[in-house]
Amino acid sequence: TFNGTWKVERNDNYDKFMEQMGINLVKRKLAAHDNLKMTIEQSGDTFHVKEHSNFRNLDIDFTLGVTFEYSLADGTDVSGSWTIEGDMMKGVFVRKDNGKQLTTTRVVQGDELIQSYSYDGVDAKRIFKRS
Ligand code: MYR
């Protein structure tokens, strides 16, 4: 279900979320229009994700339930893991600079992939379409 190429179409409360993350206004304005595209290839418990945006191109490999390191586009380092519960991917990550938790989920509904983000009491969503 998650497999495929997904292009961001709209954001919900993403600016507030990034503000809570401590990202400055200029970066937030750029990030709101980052043209993020993700190609997700799942095979069993292992995932290969190709991330393309105005900021960077990145390949990420991870296994469900296994902790890995990831750097956000602004350079913030996190570590954590993804699991799957039912038809939802759930990610729990911890920021290395302040120890605070960042949670995220992915769910496919129709031709949309909805990724939610939660940090320090602020929730946001990014909605992707298959491309
Ligand atoms: C992936 O599956 O795409 C790789 C691992 C993703 C980790 C997600 C961590 C949360 C990203 C939050 C972005 C917030 C930008 C301010």
Side-chain angles (χ1 to χ4, degrees), residues 14 17-19 21-23 31 34 36 38-40 47-51 56 58-62 68-74 76 78 80-82 89 91-93 95 102-104 106 115-119 126:
Y14 195 47
F17 171 80
M18 289 190 287
E19 190 176 7
M21 288 283 292
I23 297 170
D34 62 354
L36 178 59
M38 308 183 291
T39 299
I40 300 177
F47 282 73
H48 183 70
V49 178
K50 289 181 194 149
E51 178 182 317
R56 61 183 183 173
L58 193 67
D59 284 54
I60 307 124
D61 287 288
F62 60 87
F68 64 100
E69 320 278 311
Y70 178 76
S71 295
L72 310 189
D74 74 332
T76 303
V78 299
S81 64
W82 286 104
M89 289 178 70
V92 180
F93 295 87
R95 277 177 75 145
L102 197 170
T103 58
T104 177
R106 285 179 179 144
Q115 182 156 7
S116 72
Y117 304 91
S118 182
Y119 176 76
R126 306 197 81 185

Side-chain angles (χ1 to χ4, degrees), residues 6-10 36-38 111-115 117 126-130:
W6 302 94
K7 201 175 179 313
V8 71
E9 190 187 69
R10 57 188 196 276
L36 178 59
K37 205 166 84 173
M38 308 183 291
D111 65 344
E112 292 185 340
L113 183 150
I114 299 157
Q115 182 156 7
Y117 304 91
R126 306 197 81 185
I127 293 103
F128 299 77
K129 289 265 190 200
R130 272 192 197 280

Side-chain angles (χ1 to χ4, degrees), residues 23-36:
I23 297 170
N24 73 43
L25 180 68
V26 172
K27 287 184 184 172
R28 295 205 304 275
K29 294 294 169 200
L30 294 172
H33 303 282
D34 62 354
N35 289 311
L36 178 59

